[in-house]
């Protein structure tokens, strides 16, 4: 961090201490960047971040990212929460997610199709709580030296060729870079010159905690009705989808007991009585994405970069993936160890994944609408999901197992997350990734490959050894985000490795 006349210049300012801003800050600080997070909310504790509203399903890439940085064990896995979508009626079979509310059962999924994923694989999905995720990430960020200011919002941003200034009322801060992680209504996106393109909502969604005078009038579980959908995940917790084109959500009218009762009666077709409304929030299926994630020194990540309906629970996972992808690339750019074009790969890798998730949520909404066409399609999709191939395909998408980047190279592992290989001494590879460095994995224990790793200084560490189930590979180059940049099943060739490494790491002549 450098001092100027009036300001300390941070390497990176992050707007928003949500899960994405916090995780990105951890990645940057791990790579020795100075980071300031500016968070609008005075207190990190909101009831909407706690059970049951704050429950979030983490998919395989998020679980791996947290695991690789030694953070997964800090989440209380032993208290793993039951999916809110698994209802009393469905409790006999283990539900593994859903598509448009159509349940997906674990016993119908053929995991053997993901051969490269399997050795020592971590969990494919688990439920956690926003509050817990943010608590764990805040603790880690602060331990790594990240400064977090709370209680004042960024109101404007301005950039020159060398720095970015953020305005907080009459205060301002300067950074070399700014990353907008300030959620769906991002001020950084709005004032930073980004276009946010997409589609308008079909419905207003309600998440409510209520007391119902006559609960027997509502069915348990998820119910598609002629006018919408209501879900009673457990007594007193009701989620509703009202296909009003998102009108109520955008009206900013207060969410009253009377209003929720009126909507619930209309959607459920009953005269149910809500005697008390304890907590409520609304959301929509508006699906928009920034057309570019970078405008010179300003970048976007998480909900600031893309919004969509929470159906199928992908937004947090998408945002954590952005942070894992961006952190090491921005740090390398700051430390001048980034090869030409490295930072541009944040856009080229993450934008298509975001677009896929938006389409995934649109497809779900399309078959949840009231009306005969959507219901007919829904019935067909339900039949397909009940087949083994259908369930396996949907699980691969919902669990994030299909997520990969299209990188150059022929080996089938390239562009995919590295399997959690286990060394003969019992150490899993993921445990060696806490420091966020790239890895040159050499299972042939070749001295020239070790020397090659040294050419990249502390960007790359050489790891050799014997692996229990190595899927045929002899060597692999693994990026700091755990993505395989290069791999071979043959005798590794130093020229091939140098060519692959030069795309991601800077050659440092010793
Ligand atoms: C009902 C519901 C269920 C969901 N379930 C899932 C799920 O199961 N799985 C999943 O992956 N996702 C789920 N999501 C989506 C997920 O919650 C979001 O995608 C995720 O919270 C995005 O994280 P973020 O850090 O990008 O943004 P946020 O969590 O919105 O954090 C943004 C932060 O920026 C701060 N901020 C805003 N403006 C400013 C400003 N001007 N200056 C400074 N700070 C500012 C805010 O106070 C906030 O702390 C769900 C969403 C909803 C609504």
């Amino acid at each position: 961090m450098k001092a100027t006349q009036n300001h300390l210049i941070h390497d990176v300012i992050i707007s928003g201490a949500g899960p994405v801003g916090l995780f990105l800050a951890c990645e940057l600080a791990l790579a020795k960047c100075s980071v300031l997070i500016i968070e609008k909310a005075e207190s990190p504790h909101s009831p909407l971040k706690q059970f049951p509203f704050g429950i979030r399903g983490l998919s395989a890439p998020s679980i791996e990212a947290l695991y690789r940085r030694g953070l997964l064990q800090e989440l209380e896995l032993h208290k793993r929460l039951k999916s809110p979508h698994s209802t009393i009626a469905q409790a006999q079979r283990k539900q593994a997610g859903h598509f448009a509310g159509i349940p997906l059962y674990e016993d119908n999924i053929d995991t053997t199709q993901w051969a490269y994923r399997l050795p020592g694989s971590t969990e494919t999905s688990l439920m956690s709580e926003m509050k817990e995720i943010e608590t764990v990430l805040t603790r880690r960020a602060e331990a790594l030296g990240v400064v977090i200011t709370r209680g004042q919002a960024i109101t404007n941003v301005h950039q020159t060729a060398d720095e970015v200034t953020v305005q907080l009322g009459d205060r301002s801060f300067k950074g070399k870079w700014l990353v907008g992680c300030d959620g769906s209504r991002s001020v950084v996106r709005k004032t930073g010159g980004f276009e946010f393109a997409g589609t308008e909502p079909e419905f207003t969604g309600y998440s409510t905690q209520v007391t119902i005078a006559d609960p027997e009038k509502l069915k348990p579980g998820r119910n598609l009705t002629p006018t919408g959908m209501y879900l009673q995940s457990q007594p007193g917790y009701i989620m509703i989808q009202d296909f009003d084109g998102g009108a109520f959500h955008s009206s900013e009218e207060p969410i009253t007991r009377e209003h929720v009762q009126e909507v619930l009666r209309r959607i459920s077709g009953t005269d149910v009585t809500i005697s008390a409304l304890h907590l409520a929030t609304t959301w929509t299926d508006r699906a928009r994405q920034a057309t570019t994630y970078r405008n010179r020194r300003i970048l976007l990540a998480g909900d600031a970069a893309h919004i969509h309906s929470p159906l199928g629970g992908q937004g947090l996972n998408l945002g954590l993936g952005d942070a894992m992808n961006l952190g090491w690339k921005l740090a390398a750019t700051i430390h001048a160890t980034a090869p030409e074009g490295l930072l541009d790969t944040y856009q080229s890798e993450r934008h298509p994944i975001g677009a896929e998730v938006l389409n995934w949520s649109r497809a779900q909404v399309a078959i949840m609408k009231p009306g005969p066409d959507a219901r007919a399609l829904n019935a067909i999709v339900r039949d397909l999901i009940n087949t083994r191939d259908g369930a396996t395909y949907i699980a691969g998408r919902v669990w994030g197992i299909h997520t990969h980047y299209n990188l150059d190279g022929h080996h089938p592992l390239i562009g995919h997350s590295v399997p959690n290989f286990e060394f003969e001494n019992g150490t899993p590879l993921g445990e060696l990734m806490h420091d966020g460095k790239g890895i040159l994995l050499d299972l042939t224990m070749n001295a020239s490959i070790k020397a090659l790793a040294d050419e990249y200084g502390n960007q790359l560490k050489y790891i050799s050894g014997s692996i229990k189930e190595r899927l045929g590979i002899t060597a692999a180059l693994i990026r700091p985000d755990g993505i395989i940049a290069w791999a071979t099943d043959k005798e590794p060739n130093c020229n091939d490795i140098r060519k692959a490494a030069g795309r991601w790491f800077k050659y440092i002549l010793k």
Side-chain angles (χ1 to χ4, degrees), residues 15-21 38-41 49 53 55-57 130 134 152-155 181-184 187 207 283 301-304 310 313-318:
S15 66
V20 176
I38 299 170
E39 165 57 48
K40 175 172 78 171
K49 292 186 174 176
F53 295 103
I55 292 183
R56 295 293 181 267
M130 282 279 273
E134 290 185 0
Q152 234 187 328
I154 293 180
T155 48
C181 299
D182 45 349
S184 56
V187 168
S207 297
W283 36 277
D303 278 13
Q314 309 241 357
L316 170 62
N317 292 302
L318 190 57

mmCIF file of all heavy atoms in Angstrom, residues 15-21 38-41 49 53 55-57 130 134 152-155 181-184 187 207 283 301-304 310 313-318, ligand 1:
data_model
loop_
_atom_site.group_PDB
_atom_site.id
_atom_site.type_symbol
_atom_site.label_atom_id
_atom_site.label_comp_id
_atom_site.label_asym_id
_atom_site.label_seq_id
_atom_site.Cartn_x
_atom_site.Cartn_y
_atom_site.Cartn_z
ATOM 1 N N SER A 15 -15.935 -3.328 -3.446
ATOM 2 C CA SER A 15 -17.176 -2.808 -2.882
ATOM 3 C C SER A 15 -18.054 -4.002 -2.529
ATOM 4 O O SER A 15 -18.367 -4.823 -3.389
ATOM 5 C CB SER A 15 -17.905 -1.911 -3.885
ATOM 6 O OG SER A 15 -18.326 -2.664 -4.978
ATOM 7 N N GLY A 16 -18.406 -4.105 -1.240
ATOM 8 C CA GLY A 16 -19.313 -5.168 -0.818
ATOM 9 C C GLY A 16 -18.616 -6.298 -0.091
ATOM 10 O O GLY A 16 -17.716 -6.936 -0.643
ATOM 11 N N ALA A 17 -19.039 -6.502 1.169
ATOM 12 C CA ALA A 17 -18.496 -7.617 1.967
ATOM 13 C C ALA A 17 -19.498 -8.761 1.999
ATOM 14 O O ALA A 17 -19.769 -9.354 3.034
ATOM 15 C CB ALA A 17 -18.159 -7.143 3.378
ATOM 16 N N GLY A 18 -20.095 -9.062 0.833
ATOM 17 C CA GLY A 18 -20.889 -10.285 0.697
ATOM 18 C C GLY A 18 -19.908 -11.439 0.499
ATOM 19 O O GLY A 18 -18.684 -11.246 0.538
ATOM 20 N N PRO A 19 -20.414 -12.630 0.268
ATOM 21 C CA PRO A 19 -19.512 -13.783 0.141
ATOM 22 C C PRO A 19 -18.508 -13.636 -1.006
ATOM 23 O O PRO A 19 -17.354 -14.059 -0.874
ATOM 24 C CB PRO A 19 -20.465 -14.952 -0.109
ATOM 25 C CG PRO A 19 -21.790 -14.351 -0.442
ATOM 26 C CD PRO A 19 -21.829 -13.004 0.183
ATOM 27 N N VAL A 20 -18.918 -13.008 -2.094
ATOM 28 C CA VAL A 20 -18.028 -12.916 -3.256
ATOM 29 C C VAL A 20 -16.904 -11.913 -2.988
ATOM 30 O O VAL A 20 -15.720 -12.205 -3.217
ATOM 31 C CB VAL A 20 -18.823 -12.561 -4.534
ATOM 32 C CG1 VAL A 20 -17.902 -12.368 -5.723
ATOM 33 C CG2 VAL A 20 -19.855 -13.651 -4.826
ATOM 34 N N GLY A 21 -17.268 -10.730 -2.466
ATOM 35 C CA GLY A 21 -16.247 -9.726 -2.140
ATOM 36 C C GLY A 21 -15.261 -10.265 -1.109
ATOM 37 O O GLY A 21 -14.047 -10.066 -1.231
ATOM 38 N N ILE A 38 -15.139 -2.036 1.155
ATOM 39 C CA ILE A 38 -16.086 -1.031 1.645
ATOM 40 C C ILE A 38 -17.478 -1.649 1.611
ATOM 41 O O ILE A 38 -17.949 -2.076 0.552
ATOM 42 C CB ILE A 38 -16.038 0.238 0.765
ATOM 43 C CG1 ILE A 38 -14.628 0.843 0.836
ATOM 44 C CG2 ILE A 38 -17.090 1.248 1.205
ATOM 45 C CD1 ILE A 38 -14.386 1.953 -0.155
ATOM 46 N N GLU A 39 -18.105 -1.743 2.775
ATOM 47 C CA GLU A 39 -19.413 -2.409 2.887
ATOM 48 C C GLU A 39 -20.450 -1.406 3.388
ATOM 49 O O GLU A 39 -20.246 -0.728 4.386
ATOM 50 C CB GLU A 39 -19.303 -3.610 3.844
ATOM 51 C CG GLU A 39 -20.615 -4.192 4.340
ATOM 52 C CD GLU A 39 -21.570 -4.642 3.236
ATOM 53 O OE1 GLU A 39 -21.136 -5.342 2.310
ATOM 54 O OE2 GLU A 39 -22.764 -4.256 3.311
ATOM 55 N N LYS A 40 -21.556 -1.374 2.674
ATOM 56 C CA LYS A 40 -22.641 -0.437 2.998
ATOM 57 C C LYS A 40 -23.284 -0.731 4.348
ATOM 58 O O LYS A 40 -23.561 0.180 5.131
ATOM 59 C CB LYS A 40 -23.692 -0.548 1.886
ATOM 60 C CG LYS A 40 -24.936 0.243 2.084
ATOM 61 C CD LYS A 40 -25.818 0.211 0.838
ATOM 62 C CE LYS A 40 -26.580 -1.069 0.694
ATOM 63 N NZ LYS A 40 -27.581 -1.040 -0.380
ATOM 64 N N ALA A 41 -23.543 -1.995 4.637
ATOM 65 C CA ALA A 41 -24.301 -2.348 5.855
ATOM 66 C C ALA A 41 -23.445 -2.128 7.100
ATOM 67 O O ALA A 41 -22.258 -2.457 7.120
ATOM 68 C CB ALA A 41 -24.762 -3.787 5.790
ATOM 69 N N LYS A 49 -29.902 -13.670 6.401
ATOM 70 C CA LYS A 49 -28.703 -14.460 6.110
ATOM 71 C C LYS A 49 -28.629 -15.708 6.984
ATOM 72 O O LYS A 49 -27.668 -16.458 6.946
ATOM 73 C CB LYS A 49 -27.451 -13.613 6.313
ATOM 74 C CG LYS A 49 -27.350 -12.508 5.280
ATOM 75 C CD LYS A 49 -26.070 -11.764 5.357
ATOM 76 C CE LYS A 49 -25.981 -10.789 4.194
ATOM 77 N NZ LYS A 49 -24.810 -9.941 4.222
ATOM 78 N N PHE A 53 -33.809 -18.594 5.671
ATOM 79 C CA PHE A 53 -33.684 -17.741 4.479
ATOM 80 C C PHE A 53 -32.265 -17.723 3.933
ATOM 81 O O PHE A 53 -32.054 -17.567 2.750
ATOM 82 C CB PHE A 53 -34.126 -16.317 4.801
ATOM 83 C CG PHE A 53 -35.577 -16.217 5.153
ATOM 84 C CD1 PHE A 53 -35.980 -16.087 6.461
ATOM 85 C CD2 PHE A 53 -36.542 -16.279 4.170
ATOM 86 C CE1 PHE A 53 -37.311 -16.012 6.782
ATOM 87 C CE2 PHE A 53 -37.878 -16.208 4.482
ATOM 88 C CZ PHE A 53 -38.271 -16.077 5.801
ATOM 89 N N ILE A 55 -30.106 -20.072 3.839
ATOM 90 C CA ILE A 55 -29.542 -21.356 3.406
ATOM 91 C C ILE A 55 -29.126 -21.266 1.946
ATOM 92 O O ILE A 55 -29.868 -20.766 1.109
ATOM 93 C CB ILE A 55 -30.565 -22.493 3.559
ATOM 94 C CG1 ILE A 55 -30.820 -22.747 5.032
ATOM 95 C CG2 ILE A 55 -30.062 -23.774 2.911
ATOM 96 C CD1 ILE A 55 -31.750 -23.891 5.262
ATOM 97 N N ARG A 56 -27.927 -21.755 1.660
ATOM 98 C CA ARG A 56 -27.442 -21.753 0.286
ATOM 99 C C ARG A 56 -26.865 -23.129 -0.021
ATOM 100 O O ARG A 56 -26.154 -23.713 0.792
ATOM 101 C CB ARG A 56 -26.329 -20.707 0.095
ATOM 102 C CG ARG A 56 -26.779 -19.261 0.289
ATOM 103 C CD ARG A 56 -27.756 -18.835 -0.808
ATOM 104 N NE ARG A 56 -28.194 -17.464 -0.677
ATOM 105 C CZ ARG A 56 -29.287 -17.072 -0.032
ATOM 106 N NH1 ARG A 56 -30.055 -17.957 0.570
ATOM 107 N NH2 ARG A 56 -29.638 -15.807 0.015
ATOM 108 N N GLY A 57 -27.196 -23.613 -1.214
ATOM 109 C CA GLY A 57 -26.621 -24.873 -1.648
ATOM 110 C C GLY A 57 -25.284 -24.610 -2.318
ATOM 111 O O GLY A 57 -25.212 -23.824 -3.252
ATOM 112 N N MET A 130 -25.589 -18.425 4.646
ATOM 113 C CA MET A 130 -24.868 -17.201 4.261
ATOM 114 C C MET A 130 -24.095 -16.622 5.456
ATOM 115 O O MET A 130 -22.960 -16.216 5.329
ATOM 116 C CB MET A 130 -25.859 -16.155 3.770
ATOM 117 C CG MET A 130 -26.354 -16.369 2.371
ATOM 118 S SD MET A 130 -25.194 -15.771 1.141
ATOM 119 C CE MET A 130 -25.700 -14.066 1.019
ATOM 120 N N GLU A 134 -20.107 -16.073 5.429
ATOM 121 C CA GLU A 134 -19.534 -14.729 5.560
ATOM 122 C C GLU A 134 -18.684 -14.605 6.824
ATOM 123 O O GLU A 134 -17.650 -13.928 6.822
ATOM 124 C CB GLU A 134 -20.650 -13.684 5.555
ATOM 125 C CG GLU A 134 -21.302 -13.561 4.183
ATOM 126 C CD GLU A 134 -22.345 -12.452 4.081
ATOM 127 O OE1 GLU A 134 -22.589 -11.740 5.086
ATOM 128 O OE2 GLU A 134 -22.923 -12.305 3.002
ATOM 129 N N GLN A 152 -20.901 2.581 5.357
ATOM 130 C CA GLN A 152 -20.966 3.657 4.369
ATOM 131 C C GLN A 152 -20.922 3.075 2.966
ATOM 132 O O GLN A 152 -20.096 2.199 2.683
ATOM 133 C CB GLN A 152 -19.821 4.636 4.570
ATOM 134 C CG GLN A 152 -20.348 6.059 4.706
ATOM 135 C CD GLN A 152 -19.247 7.091 4.751
ATOM 136 O OE1 GLN A 152 -18.157 6.826 5.261
ATOM 137 N NE2 GLN A 152 -19.522 8.264 4.217
ATOM 138 N N ALA A 153 -21.818 3.560 2.122
ATOM 139 C CA ALA A 153 -21.928 2.990 0.774
ATOM 140 C C ALA A 153 -21.108 3.776 -0.235
ATOM 141 O O ALA A 153 -20.977 5.000 -0.135
ATOM 142 C CB ALA A 153 -23.386 2.994 0.341
ATOM 143 N N ILE A 154 -20.613 3.094 -1.227
ATOM 144 C CA ILE A 154 -19.982 3.766 -2.367
ATOM 145 C C ILE A 154 -21.100 4.432 -3.171
ATOM 146 O O ILE A 154 -22.134 3.819 -3.445
ATOM 147 C CB ILE A 154 -19.214 2.753 -3.234
ATOM 148 C CG1 ILE A 154 -18.025 2.207 -2.437
ATOM 149 C CG2 ILE A 154 -18.765 3.375 -4.553
ATOM 150 C CD1 ILE A 154 -17.188 1.190 -3.167
ATOM 151 N N THR A 155 -20.887 5.706 -3.509
ATOM 152 C CA THR A 155 -21.932 6.419 -4.249
ATOM 153 C C THR A 155 -21.508 6.717 -5.688
ATOM 154 O O THR A 155 -22.351 6.956 -6.536
ATOM 155 C CB THR A 155 -22.278 7.751 -3.542
ATOM 156 O OG1 THR A 155 -21.052 8.423 -3.238
ATOM 157 C CG2 THR A 155 -23.073 7.499 -2.272
ATOM 158 N N CYS A 181 -18.323 -5.866 -6.096
ATOM 159 C CA CYS A 181 -18.959 -7.101 -5.592
ATOM 160 C C CYS A 181 -20.149 -6.659 -4.754
ATOM 161 O O CYS A 181 -20.439 -7.232 -3.703
ATOM 162 C CB CYS A 181 -17.987 -7.910 -4.737
ATOM 163 S SG CYS A 181 -16.527 -8.455 -5.615
ATOM 164 N N ASP A 182 -20.821 -5.595 -5.201
ATOM 165 C CA ASP A 182 -21.861 -4.966 -4.394
ATOM 166 C C ASP A 182 -23.261 -5.407 -4.808
ATOM 167 O O ASP A 182 -24.218 -4.650 -4.688
ATOM 168 C CB ASP A 182 -21.720 -3.433 -4.394
ATOM 169 C CG ASP A 182 -21.457 -2.841 -5.764
ATOM 170 O OD1 ASP A 182 -21.181 -3.607 -6.696
ATOM 171 O OD2 ASP A 182 -21.535 -1.608 -5.908
ATOM 172 N N GLY A 183 -23.359 -6.627 -5.267
ATOM 173 C CA GLY A 183 -24.666 -7.252 -5.420
ATOM 174 C C GLY A 183 -25.471 -6.781 -6.625
ATOM 175 O O GLY A 183 -25.006 -6.021 -7.469
ATOM 176 N N SER A 184 -26.720 -7.239 -6.662
ATOM 177 C CA SER A 184 -27.546 -7.080 -7.860
ATOM 178 C C SER A 184 -27.791 -5.621 -8.248
ATOM 179 O O SER A 184 -27.970 -5.315 -9.407
ATOM 180 C CB SER A 184 -28.873 -7.798 -7.651
ATOM 181 O OG SER A 184 -29.497 -7.301 -6.488
ATOM 182 N N VAL A 187 -23.737 -0.323 -7.434
ATOM 183 C CA VAL A 187 -23.445 1.075 -7.790
ATOM 184 C C VAL A 187 -22.187 1.121 -8.666
ATOM 185 O O VAL A 187 -22.079 1.950 -9.572
ATOM 186 C CB VAL A 187 -23.263 1.914 -6.501
ATOM 187 C CG1 VAL A 187 -22.671 3.274 -6.806
ATOM 188 C CG2 VAL A 187 -24.592 2.052 -5.778
ATOM 189 N N SER A 207 -40.183 -15.148 -0.011
ATOM 190 C CA SER A 207 -39.722 -16.070 1.035
ATOM 191 C C SER A 207 -40.247 -15.500 2.338
ATOM 192 O O SER A 207 -39.934 -14.350 2.681
ATOM 193 C CB SER A 207 -38.199 -16.129 1.081
ATOM 194 O OG SER A 207 -37.701 -16.646 -0.128
ATOM 195 N N TRP A 283 -38.043 -11.466 -4.377
ATOM 196 C CA TRP A 283 -37.004 -11.576 -5.394
ATOM 197 C C TRP A 283 -37.696 -11.881 -6.718
ATOM 198 O O TRP A 283 -38.915 -12.118 -6.732
ATOM 199 C CB TRP A 283 -35.994 -12.679 -5.042
ATOM 200 C CG TRP A 283 -36.607 -13.876 -4.381
ATOM 201 C CD1 TRP A 283 -36.901 -14.004 -3.052
ATOM 202 C CD2 TRP A 283 -37.064 -15.088 -4.995
ATOM 203 N NE1 TRP A 283 -37.504 -15.220 -2.811
ATOM 204 C CE2 TRP A 283 -37.605 -15.907 -3.991
ATOM 205 C CE3 TRP A 283 -37.050 -15.562 -6.305
ATOM 206 C CZ2 TRP A 283 -38.138 -17.163 -4.234
ATOM 207 C CZ3 TRP A 283 -37.571 -16.831 -6.561
ATOM 208 C CH2 TRP A 283 -38.113 -17.618 -5.529
ATOM 209 N N ALA A 301 -17.813 -8.753 -10.206
ATOM 210 C CA ALA A 301 -17.893 -10.181 -9.872
ATOM 211 C C ALA A 301 -19.151 -10.428 -9.056
ATOM 212 O O ALA A 301 -19.668 -9.536 -8.386
ATOM 213 C CB ALA A 301 -16.656 -10.609 -9.073
ATOM 214 N N GLY A 302 -19.645 -11.655 -9.106
ATOM 215 C CA GLY A 302 -20.833 -12.030 -8.325
ATOM 216 C C GLY A 302 -22.089 -11.396 -8.881
ATOM 217 O O GLY A 302 -22.189 -11.100 -10.082
ATOM 218 N N ASP A 303 -23.066 -11.171 -7.988
ATOM 219 C CA ASP A 303 -24.361 -10.633 -8.428
ATOM 220 C C ASP A 303 -24.210 -9.267 -9.105
ATOM 221 O O ASP A 303 -25.093 -8.862 -9.860
ATOM 222 C CB ASP A 303 -25.313 -10.486 -7.235
ATOM 223 C CG ASP A 303 -25.995 -11.807 -6.875
ATOM 224 O OD1 ASP A 303 -25.549 -12.852 -7.378
ATOM 225 O OD2 ASP A 303 -26.949 -11.782 -6.086
ATOM 226 N N ALA A 304 -23.153 -8.548 -8.843
ATOM 227 C CA ALA A 304 -22.939 -7.266 -9.525
ATOM 228 C C ALA A 304 -22.775 -7.496 -11.029
ATOM 229 O O ALA A 304 -23.115 -6.643 -11.838
ATOM 230 C CB ALA A 304 -21.702 -6.566 -8.960
ATOM 231 N N PRO A 310 -33.160 -17.348 -8.216
ATOM 232 C CA PRO A 310 -32.393 -18.275 -7.375
ATOM 233 C C PRO A 310 -32.805 -19.734 -7.541
ATOM 234 O O PRO A 310 -32.288 -20.594 -6.833
ATOM 235 C CB PRO A 310 -32.687 -17.781 -5.951
ATOM 236 C CG PRO A 310 -33.949 -17.024 -6.034
ATOM 237 C CD PRO A 310 -34.071 -16.505 -7.433
ATOM 238 N N GLY A 313 -30.522 -22.640 -7.089
ATOM 239 C CA GLY A 313 -29.422 -22.166 -6.256
ATOM 240 C C GLY A 313 -28.069 -22.122 -6.944
ATOM 241 O O GLY A 313 -27.195 -22.946 -6.685
ATOM 242 N N GLN A 314 -27.865 -21.142 -7.814
ATOM 243 C CA GLN A 314 -26.584 -21.096 -8.520
ATOM 244 C C GLN A 314 -25.827 -19.787 -8.330
ATOM 245 O O GLN A 314 -24.649 -19.724 -8.636
ATOM 246 C CB GLN A 314 -26.832 -21.281 -10.021
ATOM 247 C CG GLN A 314 -27.676 -22.481 -10.326
ATOM 248 C CD GLN A 314 -26.990 -23.514 -11.196
ATOM 249 O OE1 GLN A 314 -25.875 -23.308 -11.624
ATOM 250 N NE2 GLN A 314 -27.636 -24.606 -11.434
ATOM 251 N N GLY A 315 -26.500 -18.724 -7.848
ATOM 252 C CA GLY A 315 -25.891 -17.395 -7.857
ATOM 253 C C GLY A 315 -24.640 -17.282 -7.021
ATOM 254 O O GLY A 315 -23.622 -16.747 -7.469
ATOM 255 N N LEU A 316 -24.681 -17.800 -5.817
ATOM 256 C CA LEU A 316 -23.516 -17.729 -4.943
ATOM 257 C C LEU A 316 -22.377 -18.554 -5.540
ATOM 258 O O LEU A 316 -21.213 -18.139 -5.546
ATOM 259 C CB LEU A 316 -23.905 -18.245 -3.547
ATOM 260 C CG LEU A 316 -22.761 -18.451 -2.579
ATOM 261 C CD1 LEU A 316 -22.050 -17.141 -2.297
ATOM 262 C CD2 LEU A 316 -23.278 -19.054 -1.286
ATOM 263 N N ASN A 317 -22.732 -19.728 -6.039
ATOM 264 C CA ASN A 317 -21.704 -20.590 -6.635
ATOM 265 C C ASN A 317 -21.034 -19.918 -7.828
ATOM 266 O O ASN A 317 -19.816 -19.980 -7.993
ATOM 267 C CB ASN A 317 -22.350 -21.911 -7.068
ATOM 268 C CG ASN A 317 -22.794 -22.721 -5.866
ATOM 269 O OD1 ASN A 317 -21.981 -23.041 -5.013
ATOM 270 N ND2 ASN A 317 -24.074 -23.027 -5.780
ATOM 271 N N LEU A 318 -21.845 -19.256 -8.631
ATOM 272 C CA LEU A 318 -21.310 -18.542 -9.786
ATOM 273 C C LEU A 318 -20.353 -17.436 -9.321
ATOM 274 O O LEU A 318 -19.268 -17.254 -9.874
ATOM 275 C CB LEU A 318 -22.490 -17.957 -10.567
ATOM 276 C CG LEU A 318 -22.249 -17.366 -11.938
ATOM 277 C CD1 LEU A 318 -21.607 -18.389 -12.861
ATOM 278 C CD2 LEU A 318 -23.576 -16.887 -12.540
HETATM 279 C C1 LIG B 1 -34.144 -16.653 -1.919
HETATM 280 C C2 LIG B 1 -32.752 -16.841 -2.457
HETATM 281 C C3 LIG B 1 -32.157 -18.119 -2.401
HETATM 282 C C4 LIG B 1 -30.890 -18.320 -2.933
HETATM 283 N N1 LIG B 1 -30.325 -19.566 -2.875
HETATM 284 C C5 LIG B 1 -29.113 -19.772 -3.416
HETATM 285 C C6 LIG B 1 -28.481 -21.064 -3.350
HETATM 286 O O1 LIG B 1 -29.029 -22.021 -2.802
HETATM 287 N N2 LIG B 1 -27.252 -21.211 -3.916
HETATM 288 C C7 LIG B 1 -26.624 -20.162 -4.529
HETATM 289 O O2 LIG B 1 -25.527 -20.374 -5.070
HETATM 290 N N3 LIG B 1 -27.164 -18.928 -4.570
HETATM 291 C C8 LIG B 1 -28.386 -18.702 -4.030
HETATM 292 N N4 LIG B 1 -28.928 -17.457 -4.053
HETATM 293 C C9 LIG B 1 -28.152 -16.347 -4.653
HETATM 294 C C10 LIG B 1 -27.062 -15.829 -3.707
HETATM 295 O O3 LIG B 1 -27.590 -15.463 -2.459
HETATM 296 C C11 LIG B 1 -26.374 -14.609 -4.338
HETATM 297 O O4 LIG B 1 -26.009 -14.931 -5.654
HETATM 298 C C12 LIG B 1 -25.126 -14.239 -3.529
HETATM 299 O O5 LIG B 1 -25.492 -13.756 -2.264
HETATM 300 C C13 LIG B 1 -24.319 -13.164 -4.267
HETATM 301 O O6 LIG B 1 -23.237 -12.780 -3.482
HETATM 302 P P1 LIG B 1 -22.529 -11.368 -3.733
HETATM 303 O O7 LIG B 1 -21.429 -11.286 -2.735
HETATM 304 O O8 LIG B 1 -22.230 -11.220 -5.169
HETATM 305 O O9 LIG B 1 -23.659 -10.296 -3.442
HETATM 306 P P2 LIG B 1 -24.436 -9.993 -2.080
HETATM 307 O O10 LIG B 1 -24.560 -11.213 -1.248
HETATM 308 O O11 LIG B 1 -25.673 -9.290 -2.492
HETATM 309 O O12 LIG B 1 -23.473 -8.978 -1.327
HETATM 310 C C14 LIG B 1 -23.289 -7.661 -1.802
HETATM 311 C C15 LIG B 1 -22.803 -6.804 -0.668
HETATM 312 O O13 LIG B 1 -22.540 -5.490 -1.175
HETATM 313 C C16 LIG B 1 -23.035 -4.544 -0.261
HETATM 314 N N5 LIG B 1 -23.319 -3.299 -1.002
HETATM 315 C C17 LIG B 1 -24.350 -3.053 -1.828
HETATM 316 N N6 LIG B 1 -24.245 -1.818 -2.353
HETATM 317 C C18 LIG B 1 -23.120 -1.276 -1.851
HETATM 318 C C19 LIG B 1 -22.464 -0.018 -2.037
HETATM 319 N N7 LIG B 1 -22.956 0.931 -2.829
HETATM 320 N N8 LIG B 1 -21.298 0.202 -1.357
HETATM 321 C C20 LIG B 1 -20.770 -0.746 -0.549
HETATM 322 N N9 LIG B 1 -21.374 -1.950 -0.337
HETATM 323 C C21 LIG B 1 -22.520 -2.216 -0.996
HETATM 324 C C22 LIG B 1 -24.285 -5.193 0.327
HETATM 325 O O14 LIG B 1 -24.640 -4.629 1.578
HETATM 326 C C23 LIG B 1 -23.832 -6.642 0.449
HETATM 327 O O15 LIG B 1 -23.237 -6.926 1.685
HETATM 328 C C24 LIG B 1 -30.194 -17.225 -3.520
HETATM 329 C C25 LIG B 1 -30.771 -15.936 -3.540
HETATM 330 C C26 LIG B 1 -32.040 -15.754 -3.026
HETATM 331 C C27 LIG B 1 -32.660 -14.380 -3.088
#
